Amino acid sequence: MIKNYPPQASENEILERSVFFISDGTAITAEVLGHAVLSQFPITITSYTLPFVTNKARAEEIKDQINTLYQQTQIRPLVFYSIISAEVKNIITQSEGFCQDIVQTLVAPLQQEIGLEPKPELHRTHGLSKKNLSQYDARIAAIDYALAHDDGISLRNLDQAQVIILGVSRCGKTPTSLYLAMQFGIQAANYPFTADDMDNIRLPAALIPYQHKLFGLTISPERLSAIREERRENSRYASLRQCRIEIAEVEALFRQNKINYLNTTNYSVEEISAKIIDGMGLKRRMF
Amino acid sequence: MIKNYPPQASENEILERSVFFISDGTAITAEVLGHAVLSQFPITITSYTLPFVTNKARAEEIKDQINTLYQQTQIRPLVFYSIISAEVKNIITQSEGFCQDIVQTLVAPLQQEIGLEPKPELHRTHGLSKKNLSQYDARIAAIDYALAHDDGISLRNLDQAQVIILGVSRCGKTPTSLYLAMQFGIQAANYPFTADDMDNIRLPAALIPYQHKLFGLTISPERLSAIREERRENSRYASLRQCRIEIAEVEALFRQNKINYLNTTNYSVEEISAKIIDGMGLKRRMF
């Protein structure tokens, strides 16, 4: 290693680091966790994601890639990995990278607490097995359900919905319904209020029996107008005035009908979904 | 702590443990990583996911919940947490649970390597900020694109597709397209081959200019038939014979046209998506 390592950023300069996310599976967990860890540091990263690294030859190629980068830059690449095979893993950890095993780091302390040997081969984070196949099929069924009940297309089979999301066009109903299905296997329908509803806004008769399943989304008129502009530039639909009217009407409806609702302006689909699950007391299933 | 701790499972008995996933955000990362860690142990878990724990009062409630469970069972609940506020975090770690900080465990070793202090407040894993808003909007646009180009609905704007997924009905095209959009912001179209195509199967003229973007999915006839049975019981569509014919024809088409393809029988949408990205050399974006 060179002297005065690690390199220090001079003023107004942001450090750059190369990062490898390496896994014998999809590498999705390595990416998500690695980003969570790295985002705590004021650095910019250039990242390389290498999934399905299951044999020694591939691991050797990656080791060479890491070492070449180190030789060129004299800065150790950061490596977040999750690999079960000891042989494959050892090749990666013998590279010049700064290597962290994202799963094993947490497994080791648990071993003593649980009092059992870990068996890494049991696991494939995002894999299919006989054990989880019926759960997986339920998740795919939830995606089908969300698509069949998107945007009020069908108001049938609402007894099968775990939540029915309400709101104006482009406030986040569809991505949220799909995320609830994809991540949590939750069956979500959604229903839009349109400009035509505004003169005499009320809950459709088909939704009234399911009042306990309703959850409203709202959004700031400014953000809604910006989103709608992307879709239909300079339209009445996208105008701030129209957005203000629709949101005021729909929020009033939510309040009158005592429907729990959330302002999505500053939230991602992950956050909106987690808040709906929390607000409705739904069970989060894991896949 | 009681003597002979941890409790040992007798033969043929599987240990049960309670697990808490606690976060000041969505708790999705805590759940995914916690499950990856726990699945290495031959135990069954009862899990409690507690997102948006941002104040001391809520943390005290959860601490009480953990302690009550410990007092009832004399087994320490396992706790995977990610909380920025030191005050809130301290309440959780003072519980009787066996607590592991999923992000900080990896941050500490990095601090020395990077040579900078971590600033946890920079980060919200699944959050929206001015910094990532345009990226977020691109991801929502990718979901819109997938929906507009699902199942061959539209063959327009295929120049904007990063990948066009081909395959028979129910082989995984739609969930994969949506996952590519949701997780990676990748614009994916998909096109189905139906029973009617089988007599004279060929690539639609609209797809020929985009041959370099095509990616095929296939599946075992047995699994396909089981999936189709769920949709249309005892139909010709779901019959093993029909599934065999369609798959044989479509696989032959993939080979004739030198289209890269993947058998999805044993893969989840996460795995299929990661393999498509890998196979097509697409850039994985992170959100």
Side-chain angles (χ1 to χ4, degrees):
Chain A
M1 214 185 287
I2 56 171
K3 275 187 199 179
N4 296 321
Y5 189 87
Q8 299 296 310
S10 57
E11 222 174 320
N12 299 324
E13 187 193 14
I14 288 186
L15 276 178
E16 284 187 41
R17 298 293 294 241
S18 297
V19 185
F20 288 75
F21 304 109
I22 307 172
S23 171
D24 50 16
T26 63
I28 292 170
T29 308
E31 276 182 336
V32 171
L33 187 67
H35 275 267
V37 169
L38 289 167
S39 65
Q40 302 207 0
F41 295 97
I43 58 175
T44 59
I45 64 170
T46 305
S47 68
Y48 306 88
T49 302
L50 304 166
F52 307 114
V53 179
T54 51
N55 64 62
K56 292 197 282 181
R58 181 75 183 114
E60 290 285 359
E61 284 173 16
I62 294 168
K63 179 182 162 185
D64 289 348
Q65 195 184 342
I66 294 169
N67 289 351
T68 303
L69 206 55
Y70 174 64
Q71 280 147 24
Q72 287 167 356
T73 61
Q74 294 297 306
I75 302 176
R76 296 170 79 183
L78 308 176
V79 179
F80 294 89
Y81 70 93
S82 174
I83 294 171
I84 287 166
S85 154
E87 280 185 323
V88 175
K89 185 193 295 204
N90 287 343
I91 294 167
I92 299 298
T93 58
Q94 282 161 19
S95 74
E96 297 287 353
F98 180 81
C99 299
Q100 286 192 286
D101 187 325
I102 57 155
V103 174
Q104 214 50 40
T105 305
L106 293 170
V107 167
L110 261 187
Q111 183 171 349
Q112 204 185 347
E113 171 58 28
I114 292 181
L116 294 171
E117 287 283 320
K119 295 185 181 168
E121 69 279 10
L122 290 176
H123 183 65
R124 218 168 97 208
T125 307
H126 292 106
L128 272 194
S129 65
K130 274 184 191 158
K131 196 177 133 198
N132 68 13
L133 191 60
S134 67
Q135 267 206 322
Y136 181 76
D137 287 346
R139 181 185 177 204
I140 299 299
I143 297 170
D144 290 341
Y145 187 88
L147 291 172
H149 297 83
D150 184 36
D151 216 27
I153 296 171
S154 166
L155 295 178
R156 286 161 50 180
N157 304 323
L158 288 181
D159 53 313
Q160 290 165 34
Q162 294 175 265
V163 58
I164 303 167
I165 302 171
L166 309 177
V168 301
S169 168
R170 308 303 290 174
C171 68
K173 298 182 302 300
T174 297
T176 301
S177 301
L178 289 170
Y179 191 81
L180 283 167
M182 187 79 80
Q183 182 73 17
F184 300 109
I186 287 173
Q187 303 217 138
N190 75 74
Y191 181 85
F193 293 104
T194 67
D196 295 341
D197 297 320
M198 295 305 142
D199 291 334
N200 180 24
I201 194 166
R202 54 200 170 99
L203 276 186
L207 297 183
I208 291 173
Y210 303 106
Q211 190 131 5
H212 59 290
K213 295 185 182 181
L214 303 180
F215 193 99
L217 298 184
T218 185
I219 187 169
S220 81
E222 292 73 18
R223 170 97 171 119
L224 182 63
S225 173
I227 293 169
R228 289 184 171 184
E229 277 290 331
E230 288 292 314
R231 179 165 270 208
R232 287 191 226 148
E233 225 174 332
N234 296 322
S235 61
R236 172 165 168 262
Y237 167 79
S239 71
L240 190 55
R241 181 173 179 278
Q242 178 65 21
C243 291
R244 282 204 178 111
I245 293 170
E246 293 185 22
I247 289 166
E249 289 288 331
V250 168
E251 286 185 1
L253 175 115
F254 292 156
R255 284 190 296 266
Q256 276 155 25
N257 289 275
K258 300 191 172 48
I259 295 167
N260 210 341
Y261 70 97
L262 174 72
N263 187 318
T264 66
T265 309
N266 296 308
Y267 294 129
S268 68
V269 284
E270 284 85 352
E271 291 173 318
I272 301 167
S273 300
K275 282 175 189 285
I276 290 175
I277 289 173
D278 224 28
M280 304 288 289
L282 297 173
K283 175 79 187 154
R284 290 165 74 132
R285 291 194 288 180
M286 275 298 304
F287 298 96
Chain B
M1 215 185 289
I2 57 169
K3 275 188 199 176
N4 296 320
Y5 191 86
Q8 299 297 308
S10 57
E11 223 175 319
N12 297 325
E13 189 194 15
I14 288 184
L15 276 178
E16 284 188 41
R17 297 294 295 240
S18 296
V19 185
F20 286 76
F21 304 109
I22 306 172
S23 171
D24 51 16
T26 64
I28 293 169
T29 308
E31 276 182 334
V32 171
L33 187 66
H35 275 266
V37 170
L38 289 167
S39 66
Q40 301 207 1
F41 295 97
I43 58 174
T44 58
I45 64 171
T46 305
S47 68
Y48 306 87
T49 302
L50 304 165
F52 308 114
V53 179
T54 52
N55 64 62
K56 292 197 280 180
R58 180 78 182 113
E60 291 285 358
E61 284 173 14
I62 294 169
K63 179 183 160 185
D64 290 345
Q65 194 183 343
I66 294 170
N67 290 351
T68 303
L69 207 54
Y70 173 63
Q71 279 146 24
Q72 286 166 355
T73 60
Q74 293 297 307
I75 303 176
R76 298 170 78 182
L78 308 176
V79 178
F80 294 89
Y81 70 93
S82 175
I83 295 170
I84 288 166
S85 154
E87 280 185 324
V88 175
K89 186 192 299 205
N90 287 343
I91 294 167
I92 299 298
T93 58
Q94 282 160 19
S95 73
E96 297 287 353
F98 180 82
C99 299
Q100 287 192 285
D101 188 325
I102 59 156
V103 174
Q104 213 51 38
T105 305
L106 293 169
V107 167
L110 261 185
Q111 183 171 349
Q112 202 184 351
E113 170 59 30
I114 291 180
L116 293 170
E117 287 283 321
K119 295 183 181 167
E121 69 280 9
L122 290 175
H123 181 65
R124 218 169 96 209
T125 307
H126 291 107
L128 272 194
S129 65
K130 274 185 190 156
K131 197 177 133 198
N132 68 13
L133 192 60
S134 66
Q135 266 204 323
Y136 182 77
D137 287 345
R139 181 187 175 203
I140 299 298
I143 296 170
D144 290 339
Y145 187 88
L147 290 173
H149 296 82
D150 184 37
D151 216 27
I153 295 170
S154 166
L155 294 177
R156 287 162 48 183
N157 304 323
L158 288 181
D159 53 313
Q160 290 165 33
Q162 293 174 267
V163 58
I164 303 166
I165 301 171
L166 309 178
V168 301
S169 167
R170 309 301 292 173
C171 69
K173 300 182 303 297
T174 297
T176 302
S177 301
L178 290 170
Y179 192 82
L180 283 166
M182 187 80 78
Q183 182 73 17
F184 300 109
I186 288 172
Q187 305 218 136
N190 75 75
Y191 182 85
F193 292 105
T194 66
D196 294 342
D197 296 321
M198 294 305 143
D199 291 336
N200 180 23
I201 195 167
R202 53 199 172 96
L203 275 186
L207 296 184
I208 291 172
Y210 304 106
Q211 190 131 7
H212 59 291
K213 295 184 182 183
L214 304 180
F215 193 99
L217 299 185
T218 185
I219 188 169
S220 81
E222 291 74 18
R223 170 99 170 119
L224 182 62
S225 173
I227 294 169
R228 289 183 171 185
E229 277 290 331
E230 288 291 314
R231 180 165 268 209
R232 285 190 227 151
E233 224 175 331
N234 296 321
S235 61
R236 173 166 167 260
Y237 166 79
S239 71
L240 190 55
R241 181 173 179 278
Q242 179 65 23
C243 292
R244 281 204 179 111
I245 292 169
E246 292 185 23
I247 289 167
E249 290 288 330
V250 168
E251 287 186 2
L253 174 114
F254 291 157
R255 284 190 297 267
Q256 276 157 25
N257 289 275
K258 298 190 173 51
I259 295 167
N260 210 340
Y261 70 98
L262 174 71
N263 187 320
T264 66
T265 310
N266 297 308
Y267 294 130
S268 68
V269 285
E270 285 84 353
E271 291 173 317
I272 301 167
S273 299
K275 282 175 188 284
I276 289 175
I277 290 172
D278 222 31
M280 304 290 288
L282 296 173
K283 175 79 186 152
R284 288 165 77 131
R285 290 195 288 181
M286 274 298 302
F287 297 96

